[in-house]
């Protein structure tokens, strides 16, 4: 074999080995996400499309569900490895009943993206007009459910909470009169507001108790945490990197527009609506997994009272064996 041919063979083998090594280094997580197209819940999708998770050696197999409680059940059953943007009430409540799940990060503090609306011709003009009316939320235990209960408590309303599933189906039920007040989350429905078809009556910022409360969390099952801890650490790092990228790089908005099929003006409004909480969101992403005693101590056995996310670096996901 000539020297030239030998060099060519060696280069070919090097390329093949390099490609194989890259393929082997990519670990796959099955991730359940609620409300396809939502800005804050779309972190994993956007990070995947933007190549951020790949940089951390991860590939995401994403499944979209109606709301957090569905994704939690999928994680418990083992069909999904991680659930993102799940309502904290459902997560902690399920954990308190003995489910083998662990919170690995606070996904959102406050609810600047959430709002309640009515059709343009509705007689409802203010929050107090919710009395005696049916008001929508997705599923029991979801963040939209917890937010509605907090709204009702703050304003001492006699409203009737009504489960309507995902946001798209809620729009249909609200516009056809099956429910009096619908719920939405940016960017869903903002185009309808621009067109004058709906009126936004209240937002998550109107609920004082939500402003400093963790409303959505990321979680995994105990088996995944015990056996793939390093990969979970890398997932949190990629998640946090994606959040920073979403609020700093115009490319993120372009990818989001393609993913959500929304016009540019709605995309910009969507990001602005969430920028109120972005600092807290960035700090909260990547909190370490909580042990039994920590979770129960933080919520005092009341799931909706989990106020403060952990502030420990994502690099520090060490949990005492007794807590895992």
């Amino acid at each position: 074999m000539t020297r030239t041919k030998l060099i060519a063979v060696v280069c070919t083998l090097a390329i093949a080995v390099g490609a194989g090594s890259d393929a082997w280094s990519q670990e796959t997580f099955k991730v359940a996400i609620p409300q396809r197209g939502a800005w804050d819940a779309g972190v994993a999708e956007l990070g995947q499309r933007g190549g951020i998770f790949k940089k951390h050696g991860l590939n995401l197999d994403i499944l979209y569900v109606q709301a957090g409680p569905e994704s939690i059940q999928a994680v418990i059953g083992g069909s999904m490895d991680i659930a993102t943007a799940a309502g904290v009430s459902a997560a902690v409540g399920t954990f308190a009943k003995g489910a083998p799940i662990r919170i690995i990060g606070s996904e959102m503090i406050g609810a600047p993206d959430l709002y309640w609306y009515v059709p343009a011709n509705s007689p409802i003009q203010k929050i107090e007009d919710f009395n005696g009316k049916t008001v929508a939320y997705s599923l029991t235990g979801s963040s939209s459910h917890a937010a509605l209960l907090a709204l009702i408590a703050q304003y001492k309303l006699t409203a009737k909470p009504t489960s309507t599933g995902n946001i798209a189906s809620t729009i249909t039920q609200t516009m056809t009169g099956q429910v009096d007040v619908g719920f939405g989350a940016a960017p869903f429905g903002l185009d309808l507001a621009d067109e004058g078809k709906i009126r936004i009556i209240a937002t998550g910022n109107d609920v004082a108790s939500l402003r400093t409360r963790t409303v959505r969390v990321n979680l995994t099952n105990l088996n995944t945490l015990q056996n793939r801890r390093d990969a979970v650490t890398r997932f949190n790092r990629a998640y946090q990197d994606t959040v920073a990228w979403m609020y700093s790089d115009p490319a993120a908005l372009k990818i989001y527009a393609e993913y959500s099929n929304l016009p540019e003006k709605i995309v910009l409004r969507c990001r602005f609506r969430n920028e109120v909480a972005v600092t807290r969101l960035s700090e909260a992403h990547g909190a370490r997994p909580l042990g039994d005693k920590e979770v129960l101590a933080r919520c005092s056995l009341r799931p909706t009272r989990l106020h403060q996310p952990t502030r420990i670096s994502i690099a520090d996901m060490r949990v005492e064996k007794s807590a895992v």
Side-chain angles (χ1 to χ4, degrees):
M1 181 180 293
T2 66
R3 181 179 179 182
T4 302
K5 289 184 178 179
L6 178 60
I7 293 174
V9 170
V10 171
C11 289
T12 301
L13 289 174
I15 293 173
V17 171
S21 176
D22 181 66
W24 292 330
S25 66
Q26 294 295 308
E27 189 167 354
T28 298
F29 270 131
K30 295 180 179 179
V31 182
I33 304 174
Q35 310 292 1
R36 179 182 176 87
W39 172 254
D40 84 283
V43 174
E45 176 79 46
L46 295 177
Q48 170 97 327
R49 294 189 181 210
I52 296 175
F53 281 89
K54 185 176 181 180
K55 292 178 181 178
H56 288 268
L58 297 173
N59 175 64
L60 306 184
D61 183 3
I62 295 173
L63 171 70
Y64 284 96
V65 297
Q66 288 191 95
E70 287 186 355
S71 60
I72 292 174
Q73 291 304 314
V75 168
I76 292 173
S79 61
M80 304 303 291
D81 302 311
I82 291 174
T84 65
V88 70
S89 296
V92 179
T94 304
F95 170 86
K97 294 177 181 178
I101 60 173
R102 293 294 184 272
I103 293 172
I104 59 173
S106 172
E107 199 277 335
M108 174 70 88
I109 297 176
D113 61 327
L114 185 66
Y115 63 90
W116 292 274
Y117 66 92
V118 296
N121 60 358
S122 170
I124 296 173
Q125 300 293 326
K126 56 186 184 298
I127 295 175
E128 288 74 13
D129 294 337
F130 288 6
N131 283 320
K133 306 297 184 182
T134 52
V135 183
Y137 66 90
S138 60
L139 297 177
T140 299
S142 66
S143 58
S144 63
H145 185 214
L148 175 56
L149 294 180
L151 180 78
I152 290 174
Q154 178 175 325
Y155 289 90
K156 298 179 174 58
L157 303 174
T158 59
K160 304 171 185 176
T162 304
S163 175
T164 52
N166 63 35
I167 292 176
S169 66
T170 299
I171 291 175
T172 299
Q173 293 175 64
T174 305
M175 300 307 286
T176 56
Q178 298 175 60
V179 64
D180 298 311
V181 181
F183 83 94
F188 298 109
L190 296 184
D191 54 338
L192 297 178
D194 284 347
E195 295 166 5
K197 295 180 180 179
I198 66 172
R199 290 182 288 105
I200 295 176
I201 305 298
T203 72
N205 287 329
D206 291 316
V207 186
S209 63
L210 295 181
R211 296 171 192 161
T212 57
R213 177 190 298 179
T214 294
V215 297
R216 302 182 196 121
V217 296
N218 297 338
L219 56 90
T220 188
N221 55 51
L222 189 55
N223 182 62
T224 298
L225 180 59
Q226 290 177 332
N227 298 317
R228 304 174 66 185
R229 183 179 294 268
D230 175 69
V232 173
T233 301
R234 285 184 280 122
F235 177 88
N236 273 349
R237 288 173 178 157
Y239 207 95
Q240 188 172 27
D241 287 351
T242 301
V243 172
W245 170 72
M246 287 166 64
Y247 286 89
S248 62
D249 191 340
L253 292 180
K254 181 178 180 181
I255 293 175
Y256 177 66
E258 295 171 351
Y259 155 60
S260 62
N261 293 316
L262 290 169
E264 182 180 0
K265 66 176 183 178
I266 297 297
V267 169
L268 291 173
R269 285 179 59 192
C270 174
R271 187 170 78 166
F272 176 77
R273 189 178 276 268
N274 283 274
E275 278 179 340
V276 176
V278 69
T279 300
R280 289 174 293 171
L281 176 64
S282 296
E283 290 176 352
H285 277 304
R288 65 183 175 85
L290 303 182
D292 299 10
K293 294 180 180 179
E294 289 178 293
V295 171
L296 294 179
R298 289 174 184 277
C299 67
S300 300
L301 298 178
R302 296 191 298 275
T304 56
R305 299 298 292 177
L306 182 61
H307 288 297
Q308 298 296 333
T310 54
R311 301 291 182 177
I312 296 177
S313 167
I314 54 176
D316 184 3
M317 290 186 60
R318 297 184 296 274
V319 178
E320 297 297 328
K321 291 182 180 180
S322 61
V324 179

